[in-house]
Amino acid sequence: MPASKHSPKTARRKAAGGAATMSRPSAREALAPYHRKRDFKKTPEPRTGGKSASGTLSFVVQKHHASRLHYDFRLELDGTLKSWAVPKGPCLDPTVKRMAVHVEDHPVSYASFEGTIPPKQYGAGTVIVWDRGEWAAEGDARKALAEGKLKFELRGDKLKGHWTLVRMRGNGEKQEPWLLIKERDAEARPLADYDIVEALPDSVLTGRDVDDPPHITYGKPAPAEKKDKEKAPAARRKAAAKSTEAPGRKAALPVALAPQLATLASAPPADPDDWIYELKFDGYRLLTRIDGDKIQCITRNGHDWTAKLPKLAKALAKLPTRSAWLDGEIVVDGEKGAPDFQALQNAFDSGATASIVYWLFDAPFLDGRDLRDLPVEERRAQLAGLLGEKAPEALRLSEAFEASPRDLLASSAHLGFEGIIGKRKGSGYVSRRSPNWVKLKNQRRQEFVIGGYTAPQGSRSGFGSLLLGVYDDEGALQYCGNVGTGFDATRLADIKAKLDKQRTDACPFETRPTGVKAQWVKPALVCEVSFGEWTREGRIRHSVFQGLRADKPARQIRRETAEVPELAPASTATRTGQGATKPMTQRITNADRVIDKQSGTTKGELAAFYHQVAELILPHLKGRPVSLVRAPEGVGGELFFQKHLKQDELPGVKLLDPALDPGHEPLLQIDTERGLMSAAQMNVIELHTWNATSSAIGKPDRMTFDLDPGEGVAWARMQEAALLVQTLLTELGLPAFLKTSGGKGLHVVVPIRRHYDWDTVKGFSQAVVQHLADTIPDRFVAKSGPRNRVGKIFVDYLRNGFGATTVSAWSARSRPGLGVSVPLAWDELPTLTSASQWTVRNIGRRVPTGNKPWEGMEKSRKSIGAAMKMLGYAPE
């Protein structure tokens, strides 16, 4: 990126000046390949015609089960649909790039086509309209397509936000390979949390999936569902009008809604007063959408099961609401009153679902209001009011308990329940897995993918055992052992019949299990299994089959890992390592005093946090001068930035030789946990360190670039800015390490050899920042001050001067929420949601990763001499 090479500005000029002008054939000429491939006497596909409303351009995504299932992505332009075949379908994760093969243009009328293309015809198979809507290009669409990079916005029923199509360099393929990529915006979601093609598989026109019978009649576009014009029942109108100050904000009822998922916890949260608890039901998660008289029962992955649950749909229709999204779990009660998972399966298998009851526990939308930002207690109150004292028989309110979670867990086990769910008081509703909901189980239990089975032995019929697996982060199925108990004769026969339909000669596991003689099956069936433990080899022991699961797709099955529990109160806090527990010996006064009103965090909890991360933060503090940020009044109160102390004012905090900073009181250094905890007792929230060690204070051993966003800078811009800084440093031959600031920004740290003094290092870091500002002036500024960086990012190089400090890795921040500065690997940056993603309260989820992202820092140190020459910087 140095100016003498290829800067982004230069690259943009070249791209603008050298762009080819895209020829514009007529629609008739563009459709010639489409016509040549089809016999319209046999195929129901439209021959030609169709146009969008004036001033708009349409897009459509069609799910097409031909020889292989794929998705056809089409954008209207110049009278035709420009088309790409996307084998795996669109993905909302910006880090996932989906292959898109450029194919022939299609007529605009094709956007409404649903039907079955007959055998022996081009593209033979069934087509449904998976999504449709309008699209708008950023800039000149024709020029962008010619250059091979089209940025655009989608406004569909399922796909929204900003996207990019990028042409790849081909290797002689007949059809151009492109990539379809989701941009980072409010509509982006990690694939691990939400796979939209799995969650929403059906047609936006008919609600059918591509393989659902009966097949759509040849040649006739599927009619859109007619809007129900009948008025809502009087009871609903009355309920809707009863309050003029309803809670939540006004909002249209969304077409789709993904559920909030709970995080598996290894132990109850340590702050029980901040949580409510519900029983964990052994059933199927179900969301229901009420829109006038139309009732829909939707599984957690977006499948419409309304037709399977007619009695339940009738019960929901009796509720006094005109519109709602409700969340809960459907179960069948067993003989002892607890849910019976096998009985639930049998109900669906036999088509006799009248015995199913629906335990409701949340109401994200109700009567034209979006309640997701309200506290969970308020949403529950609204739900209770909706159900009333005499709810329909099939509908029940999941009771909330404010009691000891350990006592509740023991009681749930006695009653035959799977466990309990904890929900943090005051938390909102989010459509992803969240630490604000935790699940605590009485035994280890999770879903597995069935990859094969062994032959039965003795008098047993069907099969001997099922071979189980889970998918890893790379998408490979890993073998996890088998299960051979928990089956009766009926189950064996039923499961064997399903297995026979999936038989294959290919082993689906990445590594073929040794010593196992098995019949392999396609990894399509999912089962739930309870077990005693995981072995070091990743196998389960003492497993018992619980049932098949029809509500979860195989590709989403991962090994469940229990998170580190929430911090304990300071009076009893312990730090848990690999099997060892170390009590906190420091006495914390006023431990119950709230120091952050936003999160409710107390002084004791902050001390417990520093006790928990002591082994992680001390390597960053040892041997360096440290400055302390004290907040006696808590977050929002007056702060004291302290670089000096009196002798023995803080036990364990070392006073350095006054000669290191002539004319001032001794600098401070914290090398031990005792010093860290003394600081916590004295209301220290933040710890800041120098860029040099105390033993060589005259020559820095690192540079820090603090990316500070101005007003109006979106988080996606911050992520891109960090990558641009990394790119420049890499071109200069310098290593770069990343961490969150715990506030609004990101820190890029460069380990260097101690060859230069402070003025040289600071001057060079300023030159780096000035180069960024000169090269990409629409992103970066080199001057501090709020007015200078509105809509831009100031990369603060002032951290590199003598006496300047930067917040240490693993330090908390004295900001609302108490964010934490955490080391990151660069490949984690795309999934980061904010600079304060980790806080004092949720840091337990990050502790196991520790300092691993920075493991190679010491060995990567380099002199900045060559980089200074490359950038053209000469120290004075």
Side-chain angles (χ1 to χ4, degrees):
M1 196 186 291
S4 59
K5 296 193 175 183
H6 301 298
S7 69
K9 180 186 288 186
T10 305
R12 286 201 295 269
R13 289 199 192 105
K14 288 186 176 181
T21 302
M22 185 177 183
S23 59
R24 294 177 60 182
S26 67
R28 182 176 180 181
E29 292 172 326
L31 290 174
Y34 172 83
H35 290 138
R36 284 196 301 269
K37 294 180 178 182
R38 289 162 177 82
D39 183 349
F40 292 100
K41 294 180 181 179
K42 297 179 180 179
T43 180
E45 298 165 282
R47 185 181 183 90
T48 187
K51 62 179 181 179
S52 293
S54 176
T56 64
L57 293 174
S58 67
F59 87 90
V60 66
V61 181
Q62 285 161 311
K63 191 173 179 180
H64 186 179
H65 200 164
S67 56
R68 292 183 179 179
L69 179 66
H70 65 277
Y71 294 75
D72 294 312
F73 185 83
R74 312 189 196 280
L75 301 175
E76 180 189 0
L77 189 65
D78 294 332
T80 68
L81 294 174
K82 308 300 178 186
S83 301
W84 292 261
V86 184
K88 294 185 178 181
C91 178
L92 302 185
D93 191 334
T95 66
V96 177
K97 301 174 176 62
R98 287 285 162 89
M99 177 66 72
V101 179
H102 191 209
V103 298
E104 74 276 7
D105 288 10
H106 283 52
V108 175
S109 58
Y110 207 97
S112 61
F113 171 69
E114 285 198 344
T116 302
I117 303 170
K120 299 184 180 180
Q121 296 301 301
Y122 181 78
T126 303
V127 177
I128 62 169
V129 176
W130 183 78
D131 193 22
R132 66 176 183 176
E134 298 175 358
W135 78 285
E138 295 182 18
D140 188 329
R142 301 174 190 87
K143 181 179 178 182
L145 281 172
E147 294 178 342
K149 188 172 184 179
L150 174 65
K151 287 181 172 288
F152 53 95
E153 181 183 1
L154 296 180
R155 306 176 192 126
D157 292 334
K158 298 177 182 177
L159 301 181
K160 297 178 176 64
H162 296 274
W163 299 73
T164 300
L165 275 165
V166 181
R167 183 168 56 224
M168 301 171 64
R169 291 184 178 181
N171 295 312
E173 299 94 337
K174 293 182 180 179
Q175 296 171 309
E176 291 178 341
W178 291 60
L179 294 175
L180 177 64
I181 307 169
K182 180 74 185 74
E183 296 289 341
R184 294 183 178 89
D185 57 21
E187 304 297 333
R189 297 179 65 178
L191 180 59
D193 291 345
Y194 186 72
D195 185 343
I196 192 169
V197 297
E198 291 277 5
L200 303 174
D202 301 330
S203 164
V204 293
L205 300 184
T206 64
R208 294 189 181 98
D209 199 352
V210 69
D211 294 323
D212 284 352
H215 291 313
I216 302 163
T217 305
Y218 285 172
K220 296 181 180 180
E225 286 190 1
K226 295 181 179 179
K227 296 290 184 183
D228 191 345
K229 297 182 180 179
E230 294 183 12
K231 294 182 179 179
R236 293 186 189 169
R237 292 199 301 272
K238 182 178 179 180
K242 68 181 179 180
S243 175
T244 58
E245 296 182 0
R249 58 183 177 85
K250 290 184 179 180
L253 192 68
V255 174
L257 180 70
Q260 178 162 343
L261 303 177
T263 300
L264 180 64
S266 58
D271 47 352
D273 292 341
D274 289 343
W275 296 75
I276 60 173
Y277 294 91
E278 301 174 31
L279 290 170
K280 188 178 189 304
F281 296 99
D282 194 6
Y284 287 159
R285 187 74 172 272
L286 193 78
L287 294 108
T288 50
R289 185 177 189 270
I290 301 173
D291 188 6
D293 288 336
K294 183 180 179 181
I295 309 296
Q296 290 177 283
C297 300
I298 310 296
T299 70
R300 61 177 284 177
N301 287 296
H303 294 287
D304 192 331
W305 280 13
T306 313
K308 298 180 179 181
L309 298 162
K311 183 178 178 181
L312 183 59
K314 289 181 181 178
L316 289 161
K318 296 177 182 179
L319 292 175
T321 179
R322 56 184 172 81
S323 68
W325 270 104
L326 307 178
D327 194 358
E329 190 100 354
I330 54 173
V331 305
V332 171
D333 291 337
E335 294 180 0
K336 298 181 180 180
D340 186 328
F341 185 70
Q342 185 58 44
L344 178 64
Q345 284 191 309
N346 293 341
F348 279 106
D349 291 343
S350 63
T353 59
S355 60
I356 289 177
V357 295
Y358 190 18
W359 288 94
L360 289 159
F361 47 67
D362 216 313
F365 287 83
L366 189 61
D367 285 328
R369 317 290 292 194
D370 184 347
L371 308 185
R372 290 177 295 178
D373 290 337
L374 295 182
V376 62
E377 307 97 299
E378 177 63 21
R379 298 196 307 275
R380 285 186 53 84
Q382 293 296 316
L383 178 60
L386 174 67
L387 292 175
E389 295 182 1
K390 295 183 179 180
E393 184 181 356
L395 307 181
R396 302 175 185 176
L397 178 66
S398 173
E399 186 174 355
F401 304 91
E402 295 191 47
S404 163
R406 296 190 184 277
D407 292 343
L408 288 173
L409 201 59
S411 297
S412 71
H414 179 72
L415 294 171
F417 281 78
E418 186 182 350
I420 59 175
I421 297 287
K423 297 178 180 179
R424 190 189 293 277
K425 293 178 182 178
S427 63
Y429 188 99
V430 294
S431 292
R432 53 180 167 80
R433 196 170 300 282
S434 167
N436 288 329
W437 287 16
V438 296
K439 51 185 175 182
L440 297 155
K441 297 184 178 182
N442 289 309
Q443 58 181 341
R444 296 194 178 191
R445 178 168 168 158
Q446 74 156 77
E447 298 82 26
F448 293 91
V449 180
I450 301 174
Y453 62 90
T454 62
Q457 301 292 323
S459 61
R460 184 166 179 168
S461 60
F463 56 87
S465 64
L466 301 175
L467 276 61
L468 309 175
V470 294
Y471 282 97
D472 62 19
D473 292 338
E474 303 299 323
L477 187 64
Q478 302 295 341
Y479 176 64
C480 296
N482 57 13
V483 59
T485 60
F487 308 99
D488 56 24
T490 302
R491 276 188 176 185
L492 286 168
D494 176 64
I495 297 171
K496 181 60 164 57
K498 290 180 170 66
L499 292 171
D500 286 343
K501 296 178 181 179
Q502 305 294 337
R503 288 167 62 104
T504 180
D505 293 332
C507 174
F509 300 110
E510 182 182 44
T511 302
R512 190 186 186 99
T514 57
V516 177
K517 186 177 181 181
Q519 169 61 56
W520 308 119
V521 297
K522 297 175 183 177
L525 298 176
V526 176
C527 65
E528 187 161 347
V529 174
S530 61
F531 56 97
E533 62 180 349
W534 286 96
T535 69
R536 293 181 179 178
E537 294 75 27
R539 307 288 189 264
I540 58 173
R541 298 183 61 196
H542 312 305
S543 54
V544 179
F545 181 84
Q546 299 295 326
L548 294 176
R549 294 208 70 118
D551 61 330
K552 296 186 179 182
R555 296 292 303 184
Q556 291 185 7
I557 303 304
R558 302 286 192 274
R559 175 174 170 174
E560 286 191 349
T561 303
E563 301 285 1
V564 177
E566 296 287 335
L567 294 176
S571 59
T572 58
T574 60
R575 182 172 68 247
T576 303
Q578 297 298 320
T581 301
K582 183 179 178 181
M584 186 175 76
T585 57
Q586 172 69 47
R587 181 175 178 269
I588 303 297
T589 60
N590 300 315
D592 295 329
R593 180 169 59 85
V594 174
I595 61 170
D596 176 35
K597 293 180 180 179
Q598 176 174 302
S599 64
T601 304
T602 64
K603 179 184 176 182
E605 285 180 292
L606 179 67
F609 155 76
Y610 275 121
H611 175 70
Q612 185 183 29
V613 302
E615 293 177 358
L616 301 177
I617 193 174
L618 285 174
H620 301 279
L621 300 176
K622 283 183 178 179
R624 294 182 186 275
V626 63
S627 297
L628 311 175
V629 178
R630 297 172 68 171
E633 299 172 5
V635 175
E638 187 174 3
L639 301 179
F640 298 90
F641 196 83
Q642 195 161 2
K643 300 172 66 174
H644 313 283
L645 288 174
K646 296 178 181 179
Q647 188 72 36
D648 300 324
E649 184 176 350
L650 289 181
V653 177
K654 182 179 179 181
L655 273 60
L656 299 176
D657 185 347
L660 295 178
D661 191 12
H664 297 89
E665 294 293 322
L667 296 171
L668 313 178
Q669 184 171 303
I670 295 178
D671 293 334
T672 65
E673 183 175 345
R674 184 188 181 198
L676 179 66
M677 300 314 299
S678 291
Q681 159 62 10
M682 291 299 292
N683 303 304
V684 170
I685 294 182
E686 299 185 11
L687 300 105
H688 293 237
T689 56
W690 288 41
N691 279 344
T693 61
S694 305
S695 60
I697 202 167
K699 293 184 177 180
D701 66 347
R702 68 187 183 198
M703 291 189 297
T704 301
F705 296 92
D706 180 2
L707 279 64
D708 190 1
E711 182 180 349
V713 175
W715 176 245
R717 279 292 182 105
M718 284 295 297
Q719 293 168 300
E720 293 169 0
L723 290 173
L724 289 169
V725 173
Q726 182 203 28
T727 300
L728 173 56
L729 293 170
T730 300
E731 289 193 25
L732 293 172
L734 296 175
F737 292 81
L738 180 68
K739 72 182 179 76
T740 63
S741 70
K744 295 181 179 180
L746 293 167
H747 294 164
V748 178
V749 180
V750 181
I752 60 176
R753 294 177 181 169
R754 298 185 184 93
H755 289 172
Y756 297 93
D757 59 17
W758 285 98
D759 289 342
T760 301
V761 172
K762 180 181 176 182
F764 173 61
S765 66
Q766 182 179 4
V768 171
V769 174
Q770 189 64 55
H771 179 77
L772 283 167
D774 292 342
T775 307
I776 317 176
D778 59 335
R779 298 288 184 94
F780 296 105
V781 292
K783 294 183 178 180
S784 61
R787 293 183 179 180
N788 296 323
R789 61 176 189 263
V790 173
K792 299 181 181 181
I793 297 165
F794 170 56
V795 183
D796 189 353
Y797 60 88
L798 301 172
R799 309 281 179 173
N800 300 307
F802 181 86
T805 60
T806 306
V807 70
S808 171
W810 300 103
S811 171
R813 302 303 306 274
S814 54
R815 299 170 178 266
L818 290 173
V820 177
S821 180
V822 173
L824 291 171
W826 282 102
D827 60 7
E828 293 181 285
L829 179 59
T831 62
L832 194 67
T833 59
S834 75
S836 57
Q837 178 170 320
W838 289 285
T839 67
V840 165
R841 281 202 159 173
N842 70 16
I843 196 64
R845 294 182 291 138
R846 186 65 183 182
V847 166
T849 302
N851 289 315
K852 291 179 182 178
W854 283 16
E855 280 181 341
M857 179 175 281
E858 286 300 318
K859 294 182 179 180
S860 67
R861 295 187 182 280
K862 289 188 177 181
S863 172
I864 60 174
M868 289 193 293
K869 290 181 181 179
M870 185 179 297
L871 196 63
Y873 171 75
E876 297 180 358

